[in-house]
Structure formats: structure tokens, C-alpha cells
Amino acid sequence: MWRAAHRLISHRSKNLCDPRWNPNFHNSIQSYSSGFTYNFGRTCKPFNPYLRRQGSDVQICIYPTRDYIENLHGSTELCYGKSFRIQNRFYGSATTKIQRNPIFSTINSDDINHFREILGEKNVIQDEDRLSAANMDWMRKYKGSSKLLLQPRSTEEVSQILKYCNSRCLAVVPQGGNTGLVGGSVPVFDEVIINIGSMNNIISFDKVSGILVCEAGCILENLISFVDNQGFIMPLDLGAKGSCQIGGNISTNAGGLRLVRYGSLHGNVLGLEAVLANGTVLDMLGTLRKDNTGYDLKHLFIGSEGSLGVVTKVSILTPPKLSSVNVAFLACKDYLSCQKLLLEAKRKLGEILSAFEFIDNQSFNVVLNHLEGARNPLPPSMHNFYVLIETTGSDESYDKEKLEAFLLHSMEGGLVSDGVLAQDINQASSFWHIREGIPESIMKAGAVYKYDLSIPVEKMYDLVEEMRVRLGHSAKVMGYGHLGDSNLHLNISTPQYDDAILAQIEPFVYEWTSKHRGSISAEHGVGLMKANKIHYSKSAETVQLMASIKKLLDPNGILNPYKVLPGSLASSS
């Protein structure tokens, strides 16, 4: 106990930060494998090559599964006097089939010429290499076959694009930094990709109120740097901040590392501008904290993942930057100690608590083995659980004294086994490097099944332990996340993807979460991965109302099809 307490009070000074560390780990993951397949390289059971719709003479011909997995497309013909090409994709288990909606048109030369008239030659992209990157998510789990990438530079250009696509019934996928984890930002089939990255201007910043107005294509890290120079901070911080864009953050209602202090984007976004499927521009770009005139429609677009409209501008409230930031990296003997430590932190640290993250030993080991520059802050021992606590305040001596008193009390009470308080910014960065580097490390370790869940704190780690029992030695089950927000990142690592293992994981993970009144998506969104599983978190009546809103705002269903809502509802709505 004395050694641990002494380590905390003396501010262990060893610099744990490798100078080669790049905190924006997503930037380093830019290579795409041209041979990657949707179904994680598995061979699915082939379907009967001819299926007949009951009560009709329409014949749907599906090629053997291996053919369209290898080529990333299949085809069929429907005979209603003219032909449609029907493509199919498989995600998750071998029994999950997605069929291309035959009402959508395909791109032709006239479409290309029209888009060139709107955007100019250089912003209409047909280059295979650039399309390959835009078609695939950063985890290389989902890949579309879009033949066209558009790069608008203004709201007016977005409006013209959508108006034309709606008239032609061309499906589109809005795309920002493409750092999502649920397949929401890439095509499923041949949808037109609308990348907002060229719309990256800061429109205004009010130094009194801290209200930032900018375009949706602004990279989060650039906004963080901008407001930092003005004496403010963004209320949102993510590991992917070097690549993700604020429009995508808002469209997915991204959570991140500061939610415990500053809340969700529903509270920080004051207004936005969005373009509907028919090209109508909705100007809701207010900068007022109070406005009770009618329905607050901006909330429909926060978290709707581009399925209701394309966000083009945003007004967001940024808090003042405080001068005192402290980071502690602690060890706990069990998950109950982590829970109790969280409660004590809320009571004793109160207004200065800005982050409370937990990491289990499995996740920690993967980081040490696979993340460049990572070092164990508490050598030589290994512990069952680790907690990263950050405080942010305005009085450095008071804040540090308060944090030290809390840590010493927690150690004396047996909640903390060991710990270290960062002495400088390099050491604080090295602690955050461990936490933010977990996703990259797990990907390097092999195949990974990722689940982003919101579960009551007291039950959160029970799922990890039950999954370990369920899977045995066939997989490594890891749990980490935002304990202060009840957000678990459940990661299951295996040498290679296996349908048998997936069948053990799903639907068990969703059923367990639903049983304990949790959410199957805490901050990553629904996307394609969980569209048909939304009923685990939302009632049938709620989902039906969502479908009605989708139908009202996007009657032809061209905006990000196959995502967010179950396929049956999305097609019938």
C-alpha cells in the first residue's frame, strides 16, 4: 500500500510517451485490400439458384454465393416487361441476405454529364483507386460497388445533386471521414457516394458565447485546434478525431471521451442546416440556447445517419478551455472496485471530473503487445482492471490537491491497488494513447467482432464474463469503454472469422442486452450492421413511427438505403 501511495503522491516522472506516437491512429490505417470480401472471407452455404415468388411468375435467379462474394456482386433479372439487376450482399451470419432494391436506377453517361455540369470535372470521381477507398469502411468489413463519388463544395451543390438523384431514383450514401464501425457510411451496392469533405470552412466563431458555426466537412481535430486557439474546447473528442468530420459526428450522434462532462451532441448542437432527399434546404442553423418556437426538428437529424437528410452546416456550443488538466492511471482488483471508484469520483471530484474510462486486463495486454509506443504505466505488475481518470478545472493547485486526496482515500479504502498521476503532458498523452489505441491493437491481433453497448453500470461486465464462458477457448473476449457513461465496448478476437463463433455471439449479445434494459448501440449508430436488430432496443410502435418519418422526408428511400431501419419496414414505408 505504501509503495502505491508513494507512487501517486510523488508523480512518477518516467516519460512513457514514444515520440513517434501519432494520436490519430485512424490516419495510419489507409491501406485497403482489393481482395477483401464482405463476408469476412468465409464461404457461405450456396442458395438454391432459382427462387420463385409465391403467386407470381417472376423468377429470381441468384448466382452461387461464392461467385458474388468473390466479385462483390451478383445479379438477377425480374421480368415486368423490363429488366432490373438485383444484387445481393451477406453480412454477419450466412442467413442474413440483403437484396438491392429494384426501384433504384443505375448510373448512366447522362447522369455523369449532369453531375459534371453541377460540380465540374474534378469533383466527379470515377477513378477506381479512389472509389475503392470510398467503398470500404476503415475496418475493411463492409465494401460496396459504387461507380461514382461526388464532392460538392456548397449546400447549393448538395441540393442540386439530391434533387436530381431523387428525380432519377438514384440511391445515395452521404459520407464524411468514413470512420464508422457499423457500415453506415459506405455503399451496400452501387449507391452514389456524396462526400462532404470539401465543405470544410469555419463560418463564424463568437468569442463571448463560444458558439462555433462551420460546414459539415470540417475534420474534428481541426476544429479542436481552432477553438483551442480561441481559448475554448470542443465538447466532443474521439480517437478518430484526425479523420472524422463534424457532420458525420452529428449524423451518428457520436459520444466519445468527454460525454461524462459535457453531455451528448443533442445538448451541444444549437442548430444545423440539412438538405432533404428532394433538394429542399432546411435552415435550422440557429445560435440560440433558448428557442421554444415549435418542434425542435434538428434533433431528427442528430443520430439519423444520413437517412433523413444530409447535414451541411452546424452550430455548436463550445465550453471555455480550463487551464488545469490532470490524468491518473489506476489499477483495480475487480470490476466491483471500478464501480465503487466511479461513485466516489462523482462524489469527491464532482465538477472537475471530465473522463472515467475502464480497461480490462485482456484489452490492456493486447495494447502492450500490438500498439507501437505503448508502455505499462505500472510496471512490473499486471492487474485485473485499469481506470483512467481525467479532471479539468480552473485552479491547478486546488484541482491537483483534490485529485490526490481522492486517490489516497481510494487506495486506503482498497478500491485502488496501484496508480500513477501524470506529471506532464507527455505522460498524460501516453495514458490516453493506451486507451485510444485499443481498437487499433485489437485489429492487429486478428479477426474481431465489435459491439458497442449501453448497459447499466452494475451489470455491464457481467456480459463480458458470460461471453467468456459461452465461447471458451475459441476466442479472446475483451471489455473496455466509458464507464462514466455506462458504455461497454465488447470486442471478441479470434484468429479468423468463423460462422460457428458468430452464431454463438449473435443473437445472444443482443438478447442479453435487451433483457437488461440496455441499448444495442450506445454511440456507434445502427448503420447496416444493426438495422434488422433495432427491435432489441426499440418497441415495434417506435420503429414504425421512425419508418413513417423516413417515408415523409424521403418518399423514394434514396438516402442511405438498407441502413438504420429493418429491411421490411424500410421497403414498405
Side-chain angles (χ1 to χ4, degrees):
M1 175 63 71
W2 179 86
R3 181 180 72 87
H6 177 74
R7 178 183 286 178
L8 283 165
I9 299 302
S10 64
H11 306 248
R12 184 176 180 89
S13 60
K14 180 180 179 182
N15 186 348
L16 300 177
C17 184
D18 189 308
R20 295 170 294 176
W21 170 52
N22 175 4
N24 308 314
F25 65 85
H26 289 282
N27 283 349
S28 65
I29 305 176
Q30 296 177 347
S31 61
Y32 297 90
S33 169
S34 61
F36 184 83
T37 66
Y38 272 111
N39 209 36
F40 311 122
R42 297 191 303 264
T43 300
C44 300
K45 295 179 180 179
F47 283 79
N48 187 326
Y50 295 95
L51 304 178
R52 187 176 295 274
R53 287 186 180 177
Q54 185 175 6
S56 78
D57 293 328
V58 179
Q59 198 172 61
I60 305 177
C61 310
I62 305 179
Y63 288 127
T65 308
R66 61 181 179 275
D67 293 340
Y68 59 74
I69 286 179
E70 290 169 0
N71 296 293
L72 293 172
H73 65 81
S75 66
T76 65
E77 286 190 351
L78 277 80
C79 309
Y80 291 103
K82 63 176 181 177
S83 297
F84 297 88
R85 287 185 63 79
I86 304 297
Q87 297 176 326
N88 299 275
R89 292 285 187 269
F90 285 73
Y91 299 92
S93 68
T95 58
T96 304
K97 183 178 70 172
I98 297 176
Q99 187 179 81
R100 186 187 188 278
N101 192 332
I103 72 165
F104 295 141
S105 301
T106 55
I107 289 289
N108 60 37
S109 58
D110 290 339
D111 300 325
I112 302 296
N113 291 333
H114 184 84
F115 291 131
R116 284 173 178 160
E117 291 176 3
I118 297 172
L119 304 176
E121 185 81 26
K122 69 176 183 179
N123 293 312
V124 178
I125 311 299
Q126 294 179 283
D127 177 74
E128 289 187 6
D129 290 338
R130 295 183 67 179
L131 281 169
S132 177
N135 267 304
M136 188 181 292
D137 74 319
W138 80 274
M139 282 187 64
R140 306 180 191 178
K141 180 179 179 182
Y142 301 98
K143 182 176 180 180
S145 51
S146 176
K147 302 301 181 184
L148 185 64
L149 167 65
L150 304 179
Q151 296 180 313
R153 295 154 296 181
S154 67
T155 299
E156 176 58 27
E157 289 184 352
V158 174
S159 175
Q160 290 182 55
I161 291 169
L162 289 181
K163 183 177 181 180
Y164 180 81
C165 288
N166 194 55
S167 69
R168 282 272 293 119
C169 216
L170 290 168
V172 301
V173 176
Q175 188 177 87
N178 197 18
T179 58
L181 298 172
V182 292
S185 60
V186 293
V188 179
F189 298 102
D190 57 348
E191 300 90 280
V192 176
I193 302 170
I194 304 176
N195 189 286
I196 309 296
S198 297
M199 298 174 60
N200 56 9
N201 295 309
I202 293 173
I203 298 169
S204 66
F205 184 76
D206 188 325
K207 295 183 179 180
V208 177
S209 64
I211 296 173
L212 170 72
V213 181
C214 65
E215 291 182 315
C218 291
I219 292 174
L220 178 59
E221 188 171 50
N222 293 343
L223 294 179
I224 290 172
S225 297
F226 174 82
V227 298
D228 180 77
N229 291 332
Q230 307 296 321
F232 291 79
I233 67 168
M234 289 294 288
L236 176 70
D237 191 10
L238 306 171
K241 55 181 170 278
S243 301
C244 65
Q245 298 171 11
I246 191 65
N249 299 149
I250 289 168
S251 296
T252 58
N253 189 28
L257 304 166
R258 289 176 174 162
L259 192 139
V260 69
R261 175 68 173 268
Y262 300 112
S264 78
L265 288 173
H266 278 288
N268 292 300
V269 172
L270 301 180
L272 53 79
E273 177 187 81
V275 183
L276 299 183
N278 65 1
T280 299
V281 178
L282 291 184
D283 183 358
M284 303 172 286
L285 200 61
T287 58
L288 303 175
R289 296 191 69 179
K290 288 186 174 182
D291 181 2
N292 278 353
T293 51
Y295 306 127
D296 200 349
L297 295 178
K298 68 175 181 287
H299 291 292
L300 282 177
F301 299 89
I302 301 173
S304 65
E305 304 181 49
S307 64
L308 300 180
V310 178
V311 174
T312 49
K313 293 188 180 77
V314 57
S315 167
I316 189 166
L317 180 66
T318 67
K321 180 174 67 176
L322 302 179
S323 58
S324 171
V325 179
N326 293 287
V327 181
F329 196 89
L330 314 174
C332 296
K333 63 182 179 182
D334 52 34
Y335 180 68
L336 182 60
S337 298
C338 296
Q339 291 183 63
K340 292 180 178 179
L341 190 66
L342 172 62
L343 180 60
E344 286 299 299
K346 289 180 175 180
R347 286 175 173 168
K348 301 291 175 58
L349 300 177
E351 77 286 355
I352 66 171
L353 181 66
S354 55
F356 195 104
E357 303 288 307
F358 94 103
I359 306 168
D360 68 7
N361 62 345
Q362 297 267 28
S363 305
F364 189 66
N365 283 334
V366 170
V367 169
L368 295 184
N369 291 327
H370 295 280
L371 185 65
E372 184 178 1
R375 302 288 184 271
N376 184 355
L378 305 171
S381 302
M382 295 294 289
H383 301 270
N384 292 329
F385 291 89
Y386 298 88
V387 169
L388 187 153
I389 293 178
E390 181 188 80
T391 64
T392 306
S394 57
D395 189 324
E396 184 175 357
S397 60
Y398 169 78
D399 294 346
K400 187 167 287 188
E401 181 180 340
K402 191 172 186 178
L403 178 58
E404 288 178 348
F406 160 74
L407 295 174
L408 186 58
H409 174 77
S410 299
M411 298 184 76
E412 291 174 344
L415 296 183
V416 174
S417 307
D418 200 352
V420 54
L421 185 59
Q423 183 175 347
D424 54 37
I425 190 170
N426 285 336
Q427 196 172 20
S429 296
S430 72
F431 296 168
W432 275 115
H433 180 44
I434 292 171
R435 169 59 187 87
E436 292 183 325
I438 296 174
E440 177 188 358
S441 305
I442 295 175
M443 283 188 64
K444 289 179 178 179
V448 58
Y449 302 87
K450 300 177 74 71
Y451 299 90
D452 162 52
L453 310 165
S454 188
I455 301 170
V457 172
E458 67 274 11
K459 293 289 185 181
M460 203 160 78
Y461 204 73
D462 290 351
L463 175 57
V464 180
E465 293 175 335
E466 288 191 34
M467 191 63 76
R468 283 178 182 151
V469 172
R470 186 176 180 86
L471 297 179
H473 298 294
S474 62
K476 181 179 291 185
V477 181
M478 293 161 278
Y480 68 94
H482 317 295
L483 195 63
D485 312 331
S486 301
N487 184 184
L488 172 68
H489 294 310
L490 175 69
N491 283 242
I492 299 165
S493 178
T494 59
Q496 60 188 17
Y497 290 103
D498 188 327
D499 277 333
I501 291 177
L502 182 61
Q504 286 285 93
I505 300 171
E506 298 181 19
F508 172 78
V509 64
Y510 300 121
E511 292 171 346
W512 194 100
T513 302
S514 180
K515 177 183 176 182
H516 292 88
R517 304 289 292 177
S519 170
I520 65 168
S521 181
E523 62 180 4
H524 291 170
V526 177
L528 178 65
M529 177 182 175
K530 302 177 183 180
N532 287 321
K533 301 173 179 67
I534 194 172
H535 288 293
Y536 286 106
S537 292
K538 293 290 187 288
S539 69
E541 294 79 9
T542 301
V543 177
Q544 183 61 59
L545 182 57
M546 292 179 186
S548 299
I549 294 171
K550 168 72 171 175
K551 179 66 174 178
L552 176 66
L553 298 182
D554 180 18
N556 293 329
I558 67 165
L559 289 172
N560 222 3
Y562 322 106
K563 321 282 180 62
V564 183
L565 295 174
S568 56
L569 274 180
S571 59
S572 63
S573 65

